[in-house]
Amino acid sequence: ANTPAGIYTLTYTITDKLDASKTSTATVKVTVASGAILAKDDAGTANSLTGGTAVANVLANDAYNGTSTAPTLNDVTITNGTNDSNGKVILDPTTGKVSVAANTPAGIYTLTYTITDKLDASKTSTATVNVTIASGALLAKDDTGSVNSVTGGTAITNVLANDAYNGTTTAPTLNDVTITNGTNDSNGKVILDPTTGKVSVAANTPAGIYTLTYTITDKLDASKTSTATV
């Protein structure tokens, strides 16, 4: 068991027990090889903000020595191939684990790997890993504020304060999202600053109720947007 692949040669001699002068020698050649090896494609997911493990072990669905049994790292070596993630998605060849770095932009990243039989280097197989990365839900919530019509001032310190980010109740920051102004019926008297989230009112603004909208977009996942009213 566990003999490296190759062609092994031995010789033996037979001797007649009744006539020791009678001998003859022959050669035995033994070819040793493993069965087929098969790396199978994998798929995994991770959160764009937190990252984490996308695939626990790429070997788990592979096949070894002509059977459906998965190889272990005692059986094969893993070699990294192509990878389009700019170092954000990494396959560790010492464990088989595919990890995703925190703050990885949303998208589908692809890498390849090759397994090689440790007992038979002629047996190799290559597979692809697709990792889908996305953020959780994003929710902009409506805001209200008030100021004095003569003095004006800050109506809302930060519209993000009551919003929710990445599928949690935690408010996003301006490191997490961009703010885009929408409709505004104040004729420039009430302004939302997208660089701070602050809603300011100009001095001497006629009394009334003014309405504006804004949209937040996840910086790591542009497919995640939400709009709210102030």
Side-chain angles (χ1 to χ4, degrees):
N2 299 315
T3 296
I7 299 174
Y8 297 91
T9 302
L10 59 91
T11 62
Y12 70 95
T13 299
I14 54 175
T15 302
D16 190 330
K17 287 184 176 181
L18 295 176
D19 185 352
S21 69
K22 298 295 195 311
T23 65
S24 184
T25 298
T27 299
V28 182
K29 288 187 176 180
V30 179
T31 300
V32 179
S34 67
I37 192 170
L38 179 61
K40 299 179 183 178
D41 292 346
D42 301 87
T45 61
N47 182 274
S48 58
L49 178 65
T50 59
T53 299
V55 179
N57 186 352
V58 294
L59 298 180
N61 66 332
D62 294 346
Y64 181 61
N65 197 35
T67 71
S68 58
T69 303
T72 71
L73 287 162
N74 291 324
D75 303 319
V76 299
T77 56
I78 299 174
T79 306
N80 278 297
T82 59
N83 188 326
D84 64 5
S85 72
N86 293 317
K88 294 289 190 178
V89 181
I90 297 174
L91 167 59
D92 183 351
T94 67
T95 64
K97 183 169 73 172
V98 179
S99 302
V100 177
N103 298 313
T104 297
I108 299 175
Y109 297 90
T110 301
L111 60 89
T112 62
Y113 71 96
T114 299
I115 54 175
T116 303
D117 192 331
K118 286 185 175 180
L119 294 175
D120 189 350
S122 71
K123 297 296 194 324
T124 66
S125 185
T126 299
T128 299
V129 183
N130 288 316
V131 178
T132 301
I133 298 173
S135 67
L138 184 69
L139 180 61
K141 299 179 182 178
D142 293 346
D143 303 86
T144 59
S146 61
V147 293
N148 182 278
S149 61
V150 175
T151 59
T154 300
I156 297 170
T157 303
N158 187 351
V159 293
L160 299 180
N162 67 332
D163 295 346
Y165 181 59
N166 196 38
T168 71
T169 57
T170 303
T173 71
L174 286 162
N175 291 324
D176 304 318
V177 300
T178 56
I179 298 174
T180 306
N181 278 297
T183 59
N184 188 327
D185 63 4
S186 73
N187 293 318
K189 295 291 188 176
V190 181
I191 297 173
L192 166 59
D193 182 350
T195 67
T196 64
K198 184 170 71 172
V199 178
S200 302
V201 178
N204 299 314
T205 296
I209 298 175
Y210 298 92
T211 301
L212 61 89
T213 63
Y214 71 96
T215 299
I216 54 176
T217 303
D218 192 331
K219 288 184 175 180
L220 292 175
D221 189 349
S223 72
K224 297 296 194 321
T225 66
S226 185
T227 299
T229 298
V230 183

